[in-house]
Amino acid sequence: MSDVMQAARYLAYGGPDMVVIEQRPIPAPKQGEVLVQVRAAPVTAGDVRLRSGNVPRGMGLLLRAVIGWRRPRVLPGWGFAGQVVGLGAGATQLAIGQRVFGIKGFAGAAHAEYLTIKADGAILPTPDSLTDAEAAAFFFGGLTAAEFLIDKAQLQAGQRVLIAGATGAVGSAAVQIAAHLGAEVTALAAPRNHDLARRLGAVAVQDYAASPPNGPFDVIVDVMGTYPWARARPLLAQGGGLCMITADLPASLAAALRPRKEGRRRMAGTSSESRAKMQRLIALHQAGAYRPLVGQTLPFDQLPRAHGMAQTFHKVGNLIVQMRAP
Ligand SMILES: NC(=O)c1ccc[n+]([C@@H]2O[C@H](COP(=O)([O-])OP(=O)(O)OC[C@H]3O[C@@H](n4cnc5c(N)ncnc54)[C@H](OP(=O)(O)O)[C@@H]3O)[C@@H](O)[C@H]2O)c1
């Protein structure tokens, strides 16, 4: 095995050309870590936001305080799927050759041919039912959808759900999980995605650019922040809840400080990336509730192009970059 790899780096906040691929040493797994050869990785909305610094209103200062004022001081790549090729001392939870998938999170480094991660961290064996591309696509939208629908909104069978932005990474997972839980799903999507939204489990589909849907809904999942409270409120049934997947600072503060308003609930925040939540999502997959939607796949060396596609926020499902076969 060579001791160098292709790995991505951010040059500065900015456009897709601010992500570059360079040669770096293959990292050595430390105590308790495994070395993973990455086969596929998603290019997520989160990756786009870190690279561009383009975040919902009011969140920019917060982002830069955490990851860097002048440039993102994190490495690219939130999630991965691959194979264990090295074990640090004491890393007994996984074995060489095992297919694995997981989350590096916003500290990143998954957009690389190899990565290291704690063997008892956010990494699990990949079920045989998933391809590498599906495994790479698995967690980003799925964890978010499950957290908002199950933990925050506590969705029940028979409830009416509106999912605004139904066929991207988060929306495609939300439609599937909500339908599996027995909810009646209305999807908002661009016309070219209407058939897909129905296949994912929506019973009614509308163009988000047309007139607003007829409520009432028990839960509204606002994927892109296009249903702020004033617009969502008239569509929400008494006792209903608004899941703000994308929320600006004022909306996030309002949800935190006054979650209940006018007999309805407002929910925002980020989703947990714990092993327990990862395992729950795998259980949902195994129960037939969720299969990650892979849209386009590109070779890893086209990562800047993938960033350009992802930053439109109109991609279908998950956009995956695939590393060269070993
Ligand atoms: N809170 C959290 O923990 C969390 C976690 C993950 C993501 N997010 C945020 O969630 C958002 C979506 O992420 P994603 O990965 O699903 O993105 P994505 O894969 O790019 O999908 C974006 C979706 O939004 C739809 N959309 C675009 N413009 C719209 C509009 N004007 N009205 C309604 N729908 C519209 C698109 O529909 P068409 O393709 O049909 O146009 C597409 O379905 C991002 O802002 C991301 O930062 C938050």
Side-chain angles (χ1 to χ4, degrees):
M1 185 167 109
S2 150
D3 54 4
V4 291
M5 64 173 183
Q6 300 293 311
R9 182 165 71 89
Y10 296 127
L11 298 176
Y13 292 108
D17 54 340
M18 289 298 107
V19 59
V20 293
I21 295 178
E22 60 186 15
Q23 234 178 36
R24 279 211 297 272
I26 294 175
K30 300 194 188 85
Q31 169 92 27
E33 289 184 342
V34 292
L35 177 67
V36 175
Q37 181 169 36
V38 182
R39 295 262 179 79
V43 181
T44 69
D47 293 310
V48 165
R49 295 207 180 280
L50 295 187
R51 185 261 302 151
S52 63
N54 172 15
V55 287
R57 185 168 56 109
M59 301 290 197
L61 280 182
L62 214 59
L63 175 85
R64 282 167 197 252
V66 175
I67 70 160
W69 288 107
R70 294 164 55 109
R71 67 177 176 87
R73 293 186 180 278
V74 291
L75 288 168
W78 180 91
F80 64 90
Q83 185 177 16
V84 177
V85 292
L87 298 174
T92 51
Q93 296 86 343
L94 295 165
I96 299 278
Q98 208 166 4
R99 291 178 71 223
V100 286
F101 64 155
I103 303 168
K104 284 291 283 184
F106 291 114
H111 289 163
E113 290 177 318
Y114 294 87
L115 60 81
T116 53
I117 184 168
K118 285 269 181 211
D120 61 357
I123 179 170
L124 289 166
T126 306
D128 290 341
S129 51
L130 295 173
T131 64
D132 287 330
E134 287 174 322
F138 196 79
F139 289 114
F140 184 77
L143 284 180
T144 307
E147 175 106 9
F148 273 86
L149 290 172
I150 299 172
D151 302 320
K152 293 185 194 285
Q154 302 187 334
L155 186 67
Q156 304 296 317
Q159 289 193 313
R160 299 153 295 182
V161 182
L162 176 71
I163 298 177
T167 57
V170 176
S172 62
V175 174
Q176 293 181 63
I177 293 169
H180 175 80
L181 294 174
E184 186 185 293
V185 178
T186 298
L188 296 187
R192 67 179 180 285
N193 291 325
H194 285 189
D195 286 347
L196 171 61
R198 282 195 195 88
R199 287 200 300 278
L200 291 167
V203 293
V205 185
Q206 261 184 254
D207 181 2
Y208 53 72
S211 52
N214 292 323
F217 298 100
D218 301 297
V219 174
I220 296 178
V221 178
D222 177 21
V223 171
M224 283 306 295
T226 53
Y227 275 81
W229 178 250
R231 192 174 184 211
R233 163 71 184 81
L235 300 176
L236 272 176
Q238 181 71 25
L242 171 63
C243 294
M244 297 184 276
I245 309 291
T246 301
D248 61 17
L249 187 62
S252 298
L253 287 175
L257 299 174
R258 196 177 164 200
R260 287 181 190 280
K261 190 174 179 190
E262 299 163 30
R264 288 143 182 96
R265 285 182 303 143
R266 303 185 278 198
M267 294 154 275
T270 53
S271 51
S272 156
E273 294 165 4
S274 69
R275 274 168 85 102
K277 294 290 170 75
M278 292 167 72
Q279 279 156 338
R280 176 179 69 181
L281 193 64
I282 294 170
L284 282 167
H285 165 66
Q286 286 166 339
Y290 169 59
R291 174 157 218 110
L293 178 64
V294 175
Q296 273 186 284
T297 59
L298 292 176
F300 178 46
D301 62 9
Q302 292 189 26
L303 183 63
R305 185 173 159 228
H307 265 261
M309 290 160 68
Q311 75 175 15
T312 64
F313 294 106
H314 291 290
K315 66 180 165 58
V316 166
N318 297 272
L319 174 58
I320 304 299
V321 287
Q322 285 186 304
M323 285 60 181
R324 266 178 315 177

